[in-house]
Amino acid sequence: MSQNPAFDHSIPVLTEVFSDKADKPAAPARLDAAPLADQANADLETRAIDNWTEPQWNLLERRLSERILQQLQGRVDFVLEQRLRDSLEEILKAAIGGLAEEIRAGLHDTIEKIVVRAVGQEVSHLQTLKK
């Protein structure tokens, strides 16, 4: 049986892929990363407490304050804007509803007066033609 000339030996076949994975040890669990990160943070904190000068602490305080303020202000702006929109929406709906009712009532009165006057004029005109 001849091999396919298009077969590329650099591409592993399925049995090679599975046999390679079986030979490798399982990757260590990610649970070990959390204690390492905690230890690194503790080391950084200890070095900072022992070695930082007053200006460095002031700089850290100012940067933290600025970052916290930016995050809080962005959230406060969003919440405030949303609540204002909701409140204004309710107020505007009520105002528009009242305004629409006033316009409707005024329009009905005006139309009624116009119709009464027009009918009265027509009747008067017909009565004068009859005489």
Side-chain angles (χ1 to χ4, degrees):
M1 202 183 210
S2 66
Q3 266 193 319
N4 185 355
F7 181 74
D8 186 357
H9 290 286
S10 66
I11 300 173
V13 292
L14 189 58
T15 54
E16 292 173 340
V17 172
F18 281 110
S19 66
D20 287 346
K21 290 192 179 197
D23 294 342
K24 293 180 184 176
R30 292 283 178 179
L31 299 176
D32 296 337
L36 291 176
D38 289 342
Q39 182 60 41
N41 289 338
D43 291 343
L44 284 173
E45 183 179 345
T46 303
R47 281 190 300 172
I49 291 171
D50 293 342
N51 299 324
W52 279 17
T53 63
E54 190 66 27
Q56 288 173 317
W57 283 108
N58 291 338
L59 178 64
L60 174 67
E61 180 181 353
R62 186 174 44 109
R63 285 183 178 173
L64 280 173
S65 296
E66 288 173 358
R67 185 179 294 170
I68 291 169
L69 279 173
Q70 285 177 344
Q71 290 174 351
L72 283 175
Q73 286 173 344
R75 181 68 183 153
V76 166
D77 290 347
F78 173 76
V79 170
L80 180 63
E81 185 177 323
Q82 189 62 39
R83 290 193 181 206
L84 281 173
R85 282 184 187 190
D86 293 344
S87 297
L88 285 176
E89 183 179 357
E90 293 172 17
I91 291 169
L92 288 175
K93 280 182 180 177
I96 289 173
L99 183 61
E101 189 57 41
E102 287 180 30
I103 291 172
R104 188 177 297 116
L107 189 58
H108 283 260
D109 288 344
T110 303
I111 290 173
E112 182 181 351
K113 288 176 184 175
I114 290 172
V115 169
V116 167
R117 184 173 155 206
V119 169
Q121 286 176 345
E122 268 311 302
V123 169
S124 293
H125 179 57
L126 288 175
Q127 286 177 345
T128 55
L129 290 177
K130 199 177 191 183
K131 291 182 182 178

